[in-house]
Coordinates of all heavy atoms in Angstrom, one line a residue:
F1 N -37.0 85.8 -75.3 CA -36.9 85.8 -76.8 C -36.0 86.8 -77.3 O -35.7 87.8 -76.7 CB -38.3 86.0 -77.4 CG -39.4 85.0 -77.1 CD1 -40.6 85.3 -76.6 CD2 -39.1 83.6 -77.3 CE1 -41.5 84.3 -76.3 CE2 -40.0 82.6 -77.0 CZ -41.3 83.0 -76.5
L2 N -35.4 86.4 -78.5 CA -34.5 87.3 -79.2 C -35.0 87.5 -80.6 O -35.3 86.5 -81.3 CB -33.1 86.8 -79.2 CG -32.0 87.7 -79.7 CD1 -31.7 88.9 -78.8 CD2 -30.7 86.9 -79.9
T3 N -35.2 88.8 -81.0 CA -35.6 89.0 -82.4 C -34.4 89.2 -83.3 O -33.5 90.0 -83.0 CB -36.5 90.3 -82.5 OG1 -37.7 90.1 -81.7 CG2 -36.9 90.6 -83.9
L4 N -34.4 88.5 -84.4 CA -33.3 88.6 -85.4 C -33.9 89.2 -86.6 O -34.8 88.6 -87.2 CB -32.7 87.2 -85.7 CG -32.2 86.4 -84.5 CD1 -31.7 85.0 -84.9 CD2 -31.2 87.2 -83.7
I5 N -33.3 90.3 -87.1 CA -33.8 91.0 -88.2 C -32.7 91.2 -89.2 O -31.6 91.6 -88.8 CB -34.4 92.4 -87.9 CG1 -35.6 92.3 -86.9 CG2 -34.7 93.2 -89.1 CD1 -36.8 91.8 -87.5
D6 N -32.9 90.9 -90.5 CA -31.9 91.1 -91.6 C -32.6 92.1 -92.6 O -33.7 91.8 -93.1 CB -31.5 89.8 -92.2 CG -30.6 89.0 -91.3 OD1 -29.5 89.5 -91.1 OD2 -31.0 88.0 -90.8
I7 N -31.8 93.1 -93.0 CA -32.3 94.0 -94.0 C -31.2 94.0 -95.1 O -30.0 94.3 -94.9 CB -32.4 95.5 -93.5 CG1 -33.5 95.5 -92.4 CG2 -32.8 96.4 -94.6 CD1 -33.6 96.8 -91.7
K8 N -31.6 93.6 -96.3 CA -30.7 93.5 -97.4 C -31.4 93.8 -98.7 O -32.5 93.3 -99.0 CB -30.0 92.2 -97.5 CG -28.9 92.0 -98.5 CD -28.3 90.7 -98.4 CE -27.1 90.5 -99.5 NZ -26.5 89.2 -99.4
D9 N -30.8 94.7 -99.6 CA -31.3 95.0 -100.9 C -32.8 95.4 -100.8 O -33.6 95.1 -101.7 CB -31.2 93.8 -101.8 CG -29.8 93.3 -102.0 OD1 -28.9 94.2 -102.0 OD2 -29.5 92.1 -102.2
G10 N -33.1 96.2 -99.8 CA -34.5 96.7 -99.7 C -35.5 95.8 -99.1 O -36.6 96.2 -98.8
D11 N -35.1 94.6 -98.8 CA -36.0 93.6 -98.2 C -35.7 93.4 -96.8 O -34.6 93.6 -96.3 CB -35.9 92.2 -99.0 CG -36.4 92.3 -100.4 OD1 -37.3 93.2 -100.6 OD2 -36.0 91.5 -101.2
I12 N -36.7 93.0 -96.0 CA -36.5 92.7 -94.6 C -37.1 91.3 -94.3 O -38.1 90.9 -94.8 CB -37.3 93.7 -93.7 CG1 -37.1 93.4 -92.2 CG2 -38.7 93.8 -94.1 CD1 -37.6 94.5 -91.3
T13 N -36.3 90.5 -93.5 CA -36.7 89.2 -93.0 C -36.4 89.2 -91.6 O -35.5 89.9 -91.1 CB -35.9 88.1 -93.8 OG1 -34.5 88.2 -93.6 CG2 -36.3 88.1 -95.2
G14 N -37.2 88.4 -90.8 CA -36.9 88.3 -89.4 C -37.5 87.1 -88.8 O -38.3 86.4 -89.4
K15 N -37.0 86.7 -87.6 CA -37.6 85.6 -86.9 C -37.3 85.8 -85.4 O -36.5 86.7 -85.0 CB -36.9 84.3 -87.3 CG -35.4 84.2 -87.1 CD -34.9 82.9 -87.6 CE -33.3 82.8 -87.4 NZ -32.8 81.5 -88.0
I16 N -38.1 85.1 -84.6 CA -38.0 85.2 -83.1 C -37.4 83.9 -82.6 O -37.9 82.8 -82.9 CB -39.3 85.4 -82.5 CG1 -39.9 86.8 -83.0 CG2 -39.2 85.4 -81.0 CD1 -41.3 87.0 -82.5
M17 N -36.3 84.0 -81.9 CA -35.7 82.8 -81.3 C -36.1 82.7 -79.8 O -36.0 83.6 -79.0 CB -34.1 83.0 -81.4 CG -33.6 82.9 -82.8 SD -33.9 81.4 -83.6 CE -32.9 80.2 -82.6
D18 N -36.5 81.5 -79.4 CA -36.8 81.1 -78.0 C -35.4 80.7 -77.4 O -34.9 79.6 -77.7 CB -37.8 80.0 -78.0 CG -38.3 79.7 -76.6 OD1 -37.5 80.0 -75.6 OD2 -39.4 79.2 -76.4
M19 N -34.9 81.5 -76.6 CA -33.6 81.3 -76.0 C -33.5 80.2 -75.0 O -32.5 79.6 -74.8 CB -33.0 82.6 -75.4 CG -33.0 83.8 -76.4 SD -32.1 83.4 -77.9 CE -30.5 83.1 -77.3
D20 N -34.7 79.8 -74.5 CA -34.7 78.7 -73.5 C -34.5 77.3 -74.3 O -34.0 76.4 -73.7 CB -36.1 78.6 -72.8 CG -36.2 79.8 -71.8 OD1 -35.2 80.2 -71.3 OD2 -37.4 80.2 -71.5
Y21 N -35.0 77.3 -75.5 CA -34.9 76.1 -76.3 C -33.9 76.2 -77.5 O -33.7 75.2 -78.2 CB -36.3 75.7 -76.8 CG -37.2 75.3 -75.7 CD1 -38.1 76.3 -75.2 CD2 -37.2 74.1 -75.1 CE1 -39.0 76.0 -74.2 CE2 -38.1 73.8 -74.1 CZ -39.0 74.7 -73.6 OH -39.9 74.4 -72.6
N22 N -33.4 77.4 -77.7 CA -32.4 77.7 -78.8 C -33.1 77.2 -80.1 O -32.5 76.6 -80.9 CB -31.1 77.0 -78.6 CG -30.0 77.5 -79.5 OD1 -30.1 78.7 -79.9 ND2 -29.1 76.7 -79.9
D23 N -34.3 77.6 -80.3 CA -35.1 77.3 -81.5 C -36.0 78.4 -81.9 O -36.3 79.3 -81.1 CB -35.9 76.0 -81.2 CG -36.3 75.3 -82.5 OD1 -35.9 75.8 -83.6 OD2 -37.1 74.4 -82.4
E24 N -36.4 78.4 -83.2 CA -37.3 79.5 -83.6 C -38.7 79.3 -83.0 O -39.2 78.2 -83.0 CB -37.4 79.5 -85.1 CG -38.2 80.7 -85.7 CD -38.3 80.7 -87.2 OE1 -37.7 79.8 -87.8 OE2 -39.0 81.6 -87.7
Y25 N -39.2 80.5 -82.6 CA -40.6 80.5 -82.0 C -41.5 81.0 -83.2 O -41.3 82.0 -83.8 CB -40.7 81.5 -80.9 CG -42.1 81.6 -80.2 CD1 -42.5 80.7 -79.3 CD2 -42.9 82.7 -80.5 CE1 -43.7 80.8 -78.7 CE2 -44.2 82.8 -79.9 CZ -44.6 81.8 -79.0 OH -45.8 81.9 -78.4
I26 N -42.6 80.1 -83.5 CA -43.4 80.4 -84.7 C -44.9 80.6 -84.4 O -45.6 81.0 -85.2 CB -43.2 79.3 -85.7 CG1 -43.7 78.0 -85.2 CG2 -41.8 79.2 -86.3 CD1 -43.7 76.9 -86.2
N27 N -45.3 80.4 -83.1 CA -46.7 80.5 -82.8 C -47.3 81.8 -83.1 O -48.5 82.0 -83.3 CB -46.9 80.1 -81.3 CG -46.6 78.7 -81.0 OD1 -46.4 77.9 -81.9 ND2 -46.7 78.3 -79.7
Y28 N -46.5 82.9 -83.0 CA -47.0 84.3 -83.3 C -47.4 84.5 -84.7 O -48.1 85.5 -85.0 CB -46.0 85.3 -82.9 CG -44.9 85.5 -83.9 CD1 -44.9 86.5 -84.8 CD2 -43.8 84.5 -84.0 CE1 -43.9 86.7 -85.7 CE2 -42.8 84.7 -84.9 CZ -42.8 85.7 -85.8 OH -41.8 85.9 -86.7
R29 N -47.0 83.6 -85.6 CA -47.3 83.8 -87.0 C -48.7 83.4 -87.5 O -49.1 83.7 -88.6 CB -46.3 83.0 -87.9 CG -44.9 83.6 -87.8 CD -43.9 82.9 -88.7 NE -42.6 83.5 -88.8 CZ -42.3 84.5 -89.6 NH1 -43.2 84.9 -90.5 NH2 -41.1 85.0 -89.6
I30 N -49.5 82.8 -86.5 CA -50.9 82.5 -86.8 C -51.6 83.8 -87.0 O -51.5 84.8 -86.2 CB -51.5 81.7 -85.7 CG1 -50.7 80.4 -85.6 CG2 -53.0 81.4 -86.0 CD1 -51.1 79.6 -84.3
D31 N -52.5 83.9 -88.0 CA -53.2 85.2 -88.3 C -54.0 85.7 -87.1 O -54.0 86.9 -86.8 CB -54.1 85.0 -89.5 CG -53.3 84.9 -90.8 OD1 -52.2 85.4 -90.8 OD2 -53.8 84.3 -91.8

């Protein structure tokens, strides 16, 4: 996995990319 983080204007956004499938990994976002 590769973590992509963007910080701009005081805000932070991020996502995790599954490099095996070249797609965003979202299962971790479940509470």
